[in-house]
């Protein structure tokens, strides 16, 4: 039996099975930067939020309903509608003088694509090497998830091969070092601008530089080389060796649910 009504990602999918593993947080910074490199998203964030003063506000506001749209079961459609409706009035003119709207399907799908690729990336790097079938499963679940937003599927590739070609094209031809993306990369060298909410000043003064240096390393590692070049983000031979050691360590880590994921899950279940 078929239905025209978009259905939630089914319980038991690969997205459900691995949700909450703390290692999924490791790709958060890179995922955000990939979004900010889209000219429309970068412009929207600068023009419609307090990004430079409150860089975490957008994330903390958006993530709970995004996660609910992903793994919320019967609540997922309503959550997806909330996420979509957050963006109804986000429009303007980007750095090149081009008009944009957050709900333009090409813009919206790119943001969604970064979340799908984030799942493929963290699982493959930090949990276990994904098989082609597992990557296919993530992609098919990502398509199901996207349909809940009620936005045109025109830009959405059909197959995993087509998605990978789309990803390569976007990284090479469409993404750029927008003002917002440059600011985010510069934060690696200026921990004061990236102090997370709730972290005491004294703690961040002590640990911030080390945390941001580690974040620079894992972000550079997950980004395609062409994207690193656009951002001026180095990933040297020494960095590769350091990161390889991190991967070994993280793969040995028990897949515990992170405190951040627990908080987000508690908000999703309300």
């Amino acid at each position: 039996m078929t239905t025209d009504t978009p259905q939630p990602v089914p319980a038991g999918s690969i997205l459900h099975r691995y949700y909450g593993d703390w290692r999924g947080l490791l790709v958060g910074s890179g995922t955000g930067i990939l979004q900010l490199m889209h000219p429309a998203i970068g412009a929207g964030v600068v023009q419609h939020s307090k990004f430079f003063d409150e860089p975490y506000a957008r994330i903390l506001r958006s993530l709970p309903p995004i996660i609910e749209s992903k793994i919320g079961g019967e609540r997922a459609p309503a959550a997806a509608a909330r996420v979509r409706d957050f963006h109804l009035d986000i429009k303007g003119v980007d750095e090149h003088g081009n008009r944009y709207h957050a709900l333009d399907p090409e813009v919206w799908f790119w943001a969604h694509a970064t979340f799908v690729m984030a799942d493929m990336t963290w699982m493959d790097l930090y949990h276990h090497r994904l098989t082609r079938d597992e990557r296919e499963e993530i992609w098919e679940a990502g398509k199901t998830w996207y349909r809940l937003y009620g936005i045109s599927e025109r830009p959405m590739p059909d197959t995993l091969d087509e998605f990978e070609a789309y990803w390569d094209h976007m990284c090479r031809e469409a993404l750029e070092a927008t003002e917002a993306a440059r600011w985010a990369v510069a934060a690696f060298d200026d921990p004061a601008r990236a102090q997370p909410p709730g972290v005491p000043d004294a703690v961040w003064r002590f640990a911030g530089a080390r945390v941001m240096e580690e974040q620079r390393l894992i972000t550079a590692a997950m980004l395609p080389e062409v994207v690193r070049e656009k951002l001026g983000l180095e990933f040297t031979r020494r960095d590769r060796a350091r990161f390889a050691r991190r991967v070994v360590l993280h793969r040995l880590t028990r897949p515990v649910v992170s405190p951040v994921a627990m908080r987000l899950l508690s908000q999703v279940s309300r």
Side-chain angles (χ1 to χ4, degrees):
M1 179 178 178
T2 59
T3 177
D4 292 330
T5 303
Q7 299 298 302
V9 176
S13 78
I14 193 168
L15 301 186
H16 288 76
R17 294 198 300 274
Y18 292 109
Y19 174 71
D21 188 317
W22 75 272
R23 291 167 290 189
L25 300 174
L26 296 173
V27 298
S29 178
T31 300
I33 288 171
L34 284 164
Q35 291 182 8
L36 295 175
M37 290 181 73
H38 191 292
I41 298 175
V45 166
V46 170
Q47 296 168 10
H48 293 272
S49 74
K50 298 179 180 179
F51 175 71
F52 299 120
D53 298 318
E54 301 175 2
Y56 295 99
R58 168 176 169 261
I59 300 169
L60 295 175
R61 180 183 67 250
S62 301
L63 267 184
I66 289 174
I67 290 171
E68 191 167 15
S69 71
K70 174 182 177 181
I71 60 167
E74 64 183 17
R75 300 187 305 276
R82 290 201 305 275
V83 175
R84 181 194 63 223
D85 292 348
F86 283 162
H87 298 81
L88 288 173
D89 297 323
I90 297 181
K91 56 186 176 180
V93 178
D94 68 18
E95 296 177 23
H96 303 291
N98 299 317
R99 292 191 173 277
Y100 70 86
H101 196 296
L103 298 187
D104 181 304
E106 281 74 18
V107 176
W108 191 269
F109 181 75
W110 172 248
H112 181 75
T114 66
F115 288 123
V116 176
M117 184 59 79
D119 279 328
M120 291 185 184
T121 300
W122 84 258
M123 291 180 201
D124 190 65
L125 283 176
Y126 303 120
H127 195 281
H128 69 282
R129 278 293 179 193
L130 293 175
T131 66
R132 189 66 179 175
D133 285 347
E134 287 174 318
R135 294 179 73 88
E136 293 273 7
E137 185 180 357
I138 293 171
W139 173 235
E140 291 300 321
K143 289 163 61 179
T144 299
W145 176 15
Y146 178 80
R147 292 186 180 108
L148 293 175
Y149 292 118
I151 292 176
S152 172
E153 297 178 30
R154 183 179 68 247
M156 185 169 71
D158 183 40
T159 67
L160 176 59
D161 286 342
E162 291 171 351
F163 174 65
E164 290 171 342
Y166 161 83
W167 184 267
D168 183 69
H169 167 77
M170 291 295 293
C171 289
R172 291 182 181 280
E173 305 297 336
L175 301 188
E176 58 187 53
T178 63
E179 180 184 6
R182 294 194 304 271
W183 188 94
V185 170
F188 294 138
D189 295 317
D190 186 7
R193 70 170 64 179
Q195 181 173 341
V199 175
D201 292 347
V203 172
W204 192 247
R205 282 196 298 270
F206 174 76
R210 178 64 181 272
V211 169
M212 295 309 292
E213 175 56 31
E214 190 71 12
Q215 194 64 57
R216 178 207 297 274
L217 176 68
I218 61 180
T219 298
M222 73 165 284
L223 294 177
E225 182 177 0
V226 67
V227 171
R228 291 197 300 267
E229 291 175 353
K230 291 180 180 185
L231 295 169
L233 193 58
E234 290 189 344
F235 191 54
T236 64
R237 182 177 299 178
R238 178 173 177 270
D239 292 332
R240 293 177 190 277
R242 290 169 58 209
F243 181 71
R245 292 192 292 271
R246 298 316 192 265
V247 168
V248 172
L249 176 63
H250 290 319
R251 286 188 180 175
L252 293 173
T253 303
R254 291 182 61 194
V256 296
V257 176
S258 72
V260 173
M262 287 298 291
R263 286 201 299 273
L264 291 170
L265 276 173
S266 69
Q267 293 179 60
V268 165
S269 63
R270 290 174 187 169

